[in-house]
Amino acid sequence: MRSINKQTLLKGLNPQQKDAVLRTKGPLLVLAGAGSGKTRVIAYKFAYLTSALNSHPSSILTMTFTNKAAEEMRQRIEKLINKSVKGSWIGTFHSMCNRILRKDIEKLGFKREFVIYDEDDTCNLIRSILKEFRIHEAIYKGIASKITSLKASLIGPKKFLSITNNNDDHYGFDEKFARVYVRYQDELKRNNALDFDDLIMLTVKLFEKHPDILKKYNNEFSYIMIDEFQDTNVAQYRLSKFLAGTRKNICVVGDDDQSIYRFRGANVENILSFERDFPKTKVVRLEQNYRSTQNILEAACEIITKNSLRKPKKLWSERGEGEKLFYCITNDEREEARYIARSIRELYLKGRHSYGDFSVLYRINLQSRALEEAMIEYSLPYKVIGGVSFYQRKEIKDIVSYLKFITNPDDSISLKRIINCPPRGIGAATITRIENEARKKNKSLFETMKHITHSNGTATALKKKVGSFVRLIEKLMSYKTSDIRRILLQIIEKTEYVKSIDEERAENLKELVNSVDGKDLRVFLDTVALYSSSDDSHEGDSVSLMTLHSAKGLEFPVVFIAGVEDGVLPHFHAVKSPEELQEERRLFYVGMTRAQDLLILSSARKRTLYSLIQKQEASRFLNEMSPDCYLCIERKPRREILAAPVGGPISLVKFTPFITGARVKHPKWGVGVVRDCYGETEDLKVMVNFSSVGVKRLSLRFANLEKL
Ligand code: ATP
Ligand code: MG
């Protein structure tokens, strides 16, 4: 295959972009607004390094945040250089760290077959610790996010303890939390498991403790590139510094106006620190936006300039004025959703757009329901990006947990997931008994179960039940792990799992089996664990529905932003804090700058939020835009009682709605957690995630749910 000629390559760039691409020695910071070609610089630079300078593709480390962005990056590069870059170091921070740790984690006392726990697994682990410590389980989410932000700042349990012991309550956590954190980390190690944040934190630790390993990578990588640098946290920043080594051939690109992950520990200060930590950094600014029409760009810039904490920057577009923005005021979220669906249908029928050209963005996940209903009503093909992903479905997670467990029998979280799934009469009491026994003997759960099975003495009911499970697992372990498809089929057959599920779920399992053909087991398990729900790829030609957070880095010809209301965007959590308000403004800016040709904003006069019908005001951000920017379309107001609970006060007494996150008990399916509660009057619906059967949608009137 012919590789691209240097001159042809550089023709695709403006002078500043060219400058950034040609600078191949020393630190480089590309700081520029949305749509100015930052990601393009990374792709072209990769092509330039490999084609013109003959660098080997595997000597370049390119990191970004989502699998989807990484995949897009890889495709852009392959198109440019006209050859495959399979096996090279292009990926997310997490997947690159996973690759490093798989080689050398033994030096940190873990086994190389470690499993990666996703959010669900870590929450289960935290809950079991809270239960043991007799701390209210309901706070597990708060604990999980505290642990995440500590790890993002490279504060492991030991360091945290030393901080709390010194009575320095700078981090504001009490001793109880410290105990949970220590225990959590111990349990992970005992299970030979890592959570997402460990992937980064432990790689940093590995480099700190073993300079020889770091040196190996410093020699291997001749160049490092990082996209969306504004969203790196302390740990990722430290990692980047390590990897840049002494050569410091590192290029980072970012936009402080698009920093939207502060709540997860991202630190926009990293952009400022970069110039300090890497003296002689060349800073390149890109000012031409190639994505959006002038009207869209100007409106977005008008909003973002209201933020005080930002680096000022210019941004202009040559794409012509384009259409004005539209802003539609509707009566409620259903009318809003129908307005959006109708607009999409009309634009589609004009023949200039395919469905994939449209995206509908929203601030909070629960907004997607009304939008989805309207998509269905208008027969529009759509895809929710960031909804429950394929790998998060219960049946898939169950079967994958079997796989995880037979590759790492120390993994007690997976064991607990599969031990009674499908039901085999091993209840919570039995599991607690085995757990106590395991703790006493300092053995893993499975070791303990094997011991019970093979011990002498009478065949108790416990021994029988546990014994048949142990034999099942041992049988599954005996298959050669190279044929993952066969193991999956065996798991499904031997566990008789299909008997306990409906047809749709069984179809999903077939899809799983078909998808693994020819894959390596380890690689498959890592992919599943690192696959976050926002990475769902677009299937066919369909409208994309997603949160503003998931939209980062993407672009669409037509963008709708729904729910431009105070309390939604900006989110009601943020309205009291000036800093959080600035983050909301950045989020709005990210959303607006995804649009290439048309940007349509909408709001509702009343909206059902958390089971209450609330009167909504238009977003304060709209007042920050000059009225010339947009055309306002107003639906005739309907006369209705506002601010009343769903169904009016009488039905509220009759059917007290459950709040999201509440734990409930169903007579047949046992304990579950409320995911959503919606609907009106006699027709209140509740969506509950039961550990036994997965998510069920129930009518509150007939469900007989008990509040726990
Ligand atoms: P974001 O801030 O949203 O991540 P970005 O700065 O990374 O945006 P890109 O996605 O790289 O911007 O580019 C935006 C669009 O402009 C893309 O479609 C890209 O192909 C196009 N583009 C960028 N630079 C040029 C150029 N010099 N000539 C033609 N098109 C360009
Ligand atoms: Mg980009």
Side-chain angles (χ1 to χ4, degrees):
M1 269 189 231
R2 209 169 50 83
S3 67
I4 188 167
N5 157 301
K6 178 178 156 186
Q7 293 315 326
T8 322
L9 183 76
L10 296 180
K11 261 193 207 141
L13 302 169
N14 67 29
Q16 294 76 25
Q17 291 172 333
K18 210 185 288 178
D19 223 20
V21 167
L22 291 178
R23 169 110 177 171
T24 54
K25 292 264 178 285
L28 173 69
L29 165 66
V30 180
L31 183 62
S36 58
K38 296 182 295 298
T39 306
R40 189 177 177 100
V41 162
I42 290 192
Y44 273 64
K45 195 161 186 134
F46 192 107
Y48 180 74
L49 288 166
T50 51
S51 305
L53 303 189
N54 287 327
S55 299
H56 197 274
S58 64
S59 75
I60 305 167
L61 172 67
T62 310
M63 290 194 285
T64 181
F65 279 80
T66 62
N67 290 331
K68 190 168 175 184
E71 179 55 27
E72 274 189 25
M73 178 97 73
R74 200 176 56 78
Q75 284 172 6
R76 279 203 205 184
I77 291 170
E78 288 186 342
K79 213 166 141 198
L80 280 174
I81 64 174
N82 206 10
K83 66 178 169 214
S84 159
V85 284
K86 209 163 173 249
S88 60
W89 292 81
I90 302 171
T92 59
F93 272 94
H94 292 103
S95 63
M96 298 297 99
C97 286
N98 177 47
R99 197 162 152 186
I100 293 169
L101 290 174
R102 288 273 170 220
K103 281 213 176 87
D104 288 304
I105 199 165
E106 279 165 359
K107 302 222 163 48
L108 297 177
F110 284 81
K111 296 180 201 155
R112 267 160 68 157
E113 306 72 45
F114 66 83
V115 292
I116 302 166
Y117 279 177
D118 65 13
E119 212 180 305
D120 207 27
D121 299 326
T122 51
C123 282
N124 283 340
L125 179 55
I126 291 171
R127 289 172 76 147
S128 71
I129 295 170
L130 294 178
K131 201 163 151 195
E132 192 194 320
F133 286 3
R134 292 175 198 278
I135 302 174
H136 205 328
E137 263 182 74
I139 60 167
Y140 73 95
K141 276 238 159 98
I143 301 261
S145 75
K146 276 178 199 168
I147 292 179
T148 288
S149 45
L150 282 172
K151 288 186 175 179
S153 303
L154 292 172
I155 300 171
K158 267 196 207 140
K159 193 163 170 192
F160 181 72
L161 262 185
S162 71
I163 295 169
T164 39
N165 284 346
N166 288 340
N167 278 340
D168 175 358
D169 70 352
H170 175 64
Y171 292 93
F173 301 118
D174 58 11
E175 217 187 295
K176 245 186 195 171
F177 168 74
R179 275 176 57 219
V180 174
Y181 189 15
V182 171
R183 181 55 180 274
Y184 170 76
Q185 207 58 18
D186 282 352
E187 283 297 316
L188 282 178
K189 196 152 187 182
R190 232 159 61 96
N191 291 341
N192 197 27
L194 267 58
D195 65 19
F196 274 17
D197 306 300
D198 281 340
L199 288 169
I200 318 277
M201 190 170 81
L202 291 183
T203 309
V204 169
K205 194 166 165 190
L206 182 73
F207 290 159
E208 260 165 9
K209 296 211 156 152
H210 300 278
D212 51 318
I213 297 176
L214 174 62
K215 203 163 163 202
K216 195 179 78 188
Y217 287 104
N218 286 154
N219 288 335
E220 185 168 343
F221 299 133
S222 60
Y223 208 88
I224 318 275
M225 295 195 275
I226 301 172
D227 200 358
E228 309 276 5
F229 192 68
Q230 75 279 357
D231 282 327
T232 47
N233 57 33
V234 169
Q236 286 157 331
Y237 183 59
R238 181 83 60 85
L239 179 81
S240 316
K241 279 208 289 191
F242 269 134
L243 289 165
T246 47
R247 270 192 280 205
K248 300 195 181 0
N249 290 338
I250 178 168
C251 163
V252 302
V253 315
D255 175 8
D256 55 327
D257 287 336
Q258 295 186 67
S259 154
I260 53 173
Y261 280 104
R262 210 169 69 113
F263 70 98
R264 273 204 209 147
N267 183 3
V268 68
E269 294 294 309
N270 288 341
I271 293 192
L272 310 173
S273 316
F274 190 82
E275 285 185 73
R276 202 182 51 229
D277 290 346
F278 291 91
K280 298 203 192 115
T281 292
K282 177 168 171 76
V283 182
V284 171
R285 291 178 186 274
L286 308 175
E287 294 182 340
Q288 180 167 3
N289 170 300
Y290 290 87
R291 180 179 293 147
S292 313
T293 61
Q294 275 158 4
N295 271 330
I296 293 173
L297 191 63
E298 273 163 29
C301 288
E302 247 194 286
I303 300 280
I304 201 65
T305 44
K306 304 296 182 301
N307 268 5
S308 56
L309 303 168
R310 67 185 289 263
K311 291 196 164 197
K313 50 182 89 68
K314 276 187 262 163
L315 213 50
W316 53 275
S317 161
E318 261 181 7
R319 288 210 44 215
E321 265 187 25
E323 300 260 5
K324 279 197 176 184
L325 276 61
F326 288 93
Y327 167 46
C328 183
I329 305 169
T330 60
N331 283 305
D332 57 26
E333 70 271 25
R334 286 194 202 171
E335 196 179 89
E336 179 189 43
R338 286 197 188 119
Y339 163 74
I340 292 173
R342 222 175 18 250
S343 307
I344 293 177
R345 193 177 60 183
E346 279 165 18
L347 285 164
Y348 177 81
L349 289 176
K350 281 186 183 161
R352 263 177 291 167
H353 294 288
S354 59
Y355 288 120
D357 287 349
F358 300 97
S359 83
V360 187
L361 311 180
Y362 42 87
R363 175 66 181 90
I364 22 188
N365 267 311
L366 60 83
Q367 286 177 262
S368 78
R369 201 189 46 244
L371 293 165
E372 280 188 72
E373 279 168 12
M375 295 292 140
I376 295 167
E377 190 182 333
Y378 283 81
S379 306
L380 302 172
Y382 73 93
K383 175 115 180 72
V384 182
I385 298 181
V388 178
S389 85
F390 183 71
Y391 294 115
Q392 293 297 322
R393 291 180 192 160
K394 180 179 175 342
E395 63 279 14
I396 305 293
K397 276 210 80 170
D398 286 345
I399 296 301
V400 169
S401 296
Y402 274 94
L403 261 190
K404 266 162 95 171
F405 184 68
I406 59 179
T407 56
N408 174 25
D410 292 335
D411 175 4
S412 62
I413 291 292
S414 291
L415 175 66
K416 281 200 267 182
R417 188 175 178 107
I418 60 179
I419 195 166
N420 200 33
C421 177
R424 43 176 79 90
I426 307 183
T430 313
I431 298 171
T432 312
R433 232 172 100 187
I434 303 169
E435 272 182 313
N436 289 340
E437 188 79 12
R439 208 165 301 127
K440 252 193 272 165
K441 299 215 164 95
N442 200 20
K443 283 193 167 150
S444 74
L445 282 189
F446 193 56
E447 283 295 319
T448 313
M449 291 173 77
K450 280 204 286 200
H451 184 78
I452 294 172
T453 312
H454 301 304
S455 65
N456 295 328
T458 49
T460 57
L462 171 75
K463 192 168 163 176
K464 246 177 156 171
K465 274 190 273 184
V466 169
S468 70
F469 178 75
V470 168
R471 278 188 293 279
L472 168 74
I473 295 294
E474 285 177 336
K475 176 118 195 104
L476 294 172
M477 280 173 173
S478 69
Y479 298 117
K480 265 211 346 247
T481 51
S482 55
D483 191 351
I484 158 172
R485 187 187 155 91
R486 174 148 179 260
I487 306 176
L488 274 179
L489 287 171
Q490 291 293 341
I491 291 172
I492 295 167
E493 189 197 316
K494 297 273 182 311
T495 57
E496 300 186 340
Y497 188 86
V498 180
K499 282 191 187 161
S500 63
I501 55 177
D502 61 23
E503 215 170 299
E504 189 191 330
R505 287 170 185 268
E507 278 302 314
N508 287 337
L509 287 182
K510 273 190 207 154
E511 201 178 322
L512 175 73
V513 173
N514 290 335
S515 74
V516 298
D517 233 1
K519 285 192 187 144
D520 174 77
L521 178 58
R522 186 73 270 157
V523 173
F524 170 73
L525 285 177
D526 286 350
T527 318
V528 173
L530 293 171
Y531 188 100
S532 72
S533 44
S534 60
D535 296 322
D536 276 347
S537 58
H538 292 241
E539 279 161 15
D541 183 27
S542 51
V543 177
S544 303
L545 269 54
M546 72 188 100
T547 62
L548 290 158
H549 279 102
S550 313
K552 199 172 68 154
L554 308 178
E555 58 189 17
F556 298 89
V558 186
V559 170
F560 292 83
I561 304 182
V564 186
E565 297 147 27
D566 252 30
V568 177
L569 180 64
H571 193 274
F572 67 89
H573 281 325
V575 290
K576 289 216 175 81
S577 144
E579 269 128 50
E580 286 184 33
L581 209 51
Q582 300 213 16
E583 177 124 335
E584 295 291 307
R585 203 178 271 114
R586 289 193 291 269
L587 201 49
F588 189 30
Y589 173 75
V590 166
M592 293 174 86
T593 54
R594 300 309 96 200
Q596 294 173 307
D597 306 320
L598 278 181
L599 176 58
I600 299 124
L601 312 173
S602 55
S603 66
R605 294 194 179 92
K606 69 179 174 74
R607 180 177 296 277
T608 310
L609 282 171
Y610 311 105
S611 308
L612 285 179
I613 300 176
Q614 309 208 9
K615 189 170 185 256
Q616 296 293 94
E617 295 289 337
S619 169
R620 63 189 72 189
F621 295 152
L622 287 168
N623 296 333
E624 297 173 357
M625 223 188 305
S626 87
D628 307 341
C629 285
Y630 57 86
L631 292 172
C632 190
I633 311 155
E634 201 165 346
R635 301 261 138 189
K636 224 166 111 200
R638 259 191 253 128
R639 278 195 59 225
E640 268 178 87
I641 312 156
L642 298 172
V646 175
I650 298 165
S651 65
L652 185 76
V653 175
K654 255 165 132 181
F655 309 112
T656 314
F658 294 101
I659 55 163
T660 309
R663 279 160 61 76
V664 292
K665 196 168 170 191
H666 183 269
K668 191 163 140 212
W669 295 316
V671 178
V673 176
V674 174
R675 297 258 301 249
D676 200 357
C677 189
Y678 59 96
E680 280 172 36
T681 333
E682 304 286 282
D683 197 27
L684 262 175
K685 296 261 183 354
V686 59
M687 220 156 101
V688 182
N689 190 2
F690 292 100
S691 52
S692 55
V693 288
V695 178
K696 291 273 175 196
R697 214 178 282 253
L698 307 163
S699 169
L700 203 53
R701 214 145 54 111
F702 306 111
N704 249 336
L705 287 179
E706 185 191 330
K707 242 185 198 167
L708 291 180

